[in-house]
Amino acid sequence: MTDDTKKPGKYGRVMLKISGEALMGDQGYGLHPPTVARIAHEVRSVHDMGVEICMVIGGGNIFRGLQGSAQGMDRATADYMGMLATVMNALGMQAALEAEGIHTRVISAIRMDEVAEPYIRRRAVRHLEKKRVCIFAAGTGNPYFTTDTAATLRANEMNCEAIFKGTKVDGVYDKDPKKFPDAKRYENVTYDEVLQKHLGVMDASAIALARDNDLPIIVFSLDEPGGFRGILAGEGTYTRVHG
Ligand code: UDP
């Protein structure tokens, strides 16, 4: 398939995936409130366009299962800790979005009714129709997965038209652009190339799930002010991963 780019400005419903590390600013750990507020502002500018927004935020700024298991903890327990970290990030983002005047729901894959709604697919769809930003927390609810896979799963379930993966660089490069000045950015790349060349867009399970459901992944820089809105309006640079 060639680039069947959904015409910019025509997105009805999207998934924004950001890593936990995107929330920590220069701190090296945890949440940096001005950074969370800046991202919330970016999300608001897209919400103002009338786009329905789903979000998944990682947990790597607080805890990663692999770190825990490398230190001798059993992997499943460490992964549950990672999933709980994503709930903290989701609540932080919810507060920042509400400060922007946006209605939100945090929807958790692990029940914790006092802090977040349980995940009920039809209910989440209804929230989106009412223009509430849905922040899907606790990953898939299962150990041995990542929040990239959770974002792909929920994007499919919510019928999102694309996953927007906000990163520190403006797309997918053939090598690390921070280390190699001659690194080349792909405009378009296929799921299979991403897997074969280990391009590191998302983990292999997430890419395979996107490929099997023909869900495009748009990799863009979240550090660029106005970048998210710009990409949805068809401006700026990004890489589109497709079939
Ligand atoms: N995690 C999990 N199952 C999921 C999603 C996440 O077990 O469905 C755990 C896993 O330990 C992971 C951690 O939660 O390391 C944080 O998620 P991730 O590493 O994807 O965060 P990011 O790198 O995006 O900040």
Side-chain angles (χ1 to χ4, degrees):
M1 195 171 78
T2 52
D3 180 7
D4 64 339
T5 307
K6 172 112 185 138
K7 287 290 167 276
K10 299 257 172 72
Y11 287 100
R13 183 177 296 169
V14 300
M15 165 64 70
L16 173 64
K17 165 69 200 340
I18 58 177
S19 69
E21 284 166 358
L23 305 187
M24 72 188 185
D26 295 329
Q27 287 181 163
Y29 182 79
L31 287 93
H32 179 239
T35 302
V36 181
R38 184 185 64 75
I39 296 171
H41 191 71
E42 297 286 322
V43 171
R44 181 190 159 178
S45 66
V46 169
H47 186 263
D48 287 350
M49 295 163 85
V51 178
E52 295 171 6
I53 303 171
C54 303
M55 285 183 81
V56 167
I57 308 169
N61 55 325
I62 300 170
F63 194 84
R64 272 213 179 85
L66 279 175
Q67 285 163 4
S69 65
Q71 289 160 11
M73 195 181 287
D74 82 88
R75 172 74 192 265
T77 302
D79 278 344
Y80 279 112
M81 290 173 70
M83 286 184 262
L84 296 181
T86 72
V87 180
M88 292 171 66
N89 285 336
L91 293 175
M93 181 55 69
Q94 176 175 47
L97 284 168
E98 288 188 342
E100 290 276 343
I102 297 181
H103 296 284
T104 63
R105 291 291 186 273
V106 173
I107 301 172
S108 176
I110 295 174
R111 284 198 82 121
M112 47 181 95
D113 297 353
E114 284 75 12
V115 290
E117 274 187 16
Y119 176 66
I120 299 167
R121 191 181 71 83
R122 285 168 180 274
R123 194 160 157 190
V125 168
R126 193 74 195 116
H127 288 319
L128 291 168
E129 287 167 357
K130 290 183 180 168
K131 308 294 175 198
R132 294 171 183 146
V133 172
C134 288
I135 309 170
F136 295 97
T140 62
N142 300 289
Y144 299 96
F145 287 95
T146 64
T147 52
D148 282 343
T149 303
T152 311
L153 172 69
R154 296 298 186 227
N156 282 320
E157 290 184 277
M158 294 298 118
N159 286 320
C160 292
E161 287 138 304
I163 302 182
F164 288 76
K165 167 126 178 158
T167 71
K168 290 194 168 305
V169 287
D170 62 352
V172 183
Y173 285 77
D174 58 353
K175 46 195 167 185
D176 186 349
K178 301 222 155 147
K179 288 190 200 141
F180 301 95
D182 63 334
K184 286 199 188 67
R185 184 174 53 79
Y186 294 92
E187 291 283 324
N188 289 284
V189 64
T190 65
Y191 304 111
D192 288 337
E193 264 182 287
V194 167
L195 291 173
Q196 281 153 16
K197 295 182 182 164
H198 301 284
L199 292 177
V201 176
M202 285 183 168
D203 63 87
S205 327
I207 297 288
L209 190 58
R211 179 191 60 194
D212 294 350
N213 295 283
D214 236 337
L215 180 70
I217 304 165
I218 290 152
V219 183
F220 71 103
S221 168
L222 199 67
D223 287 352
E224 198 63 47
F228 186 29
R229 187 187 167 97
I231 298 295
L232 276 140
E235 296 153 12
T237 49
Y238 56 91
T239 297
R240 184 183 163 91
V241 185
H242 56 89

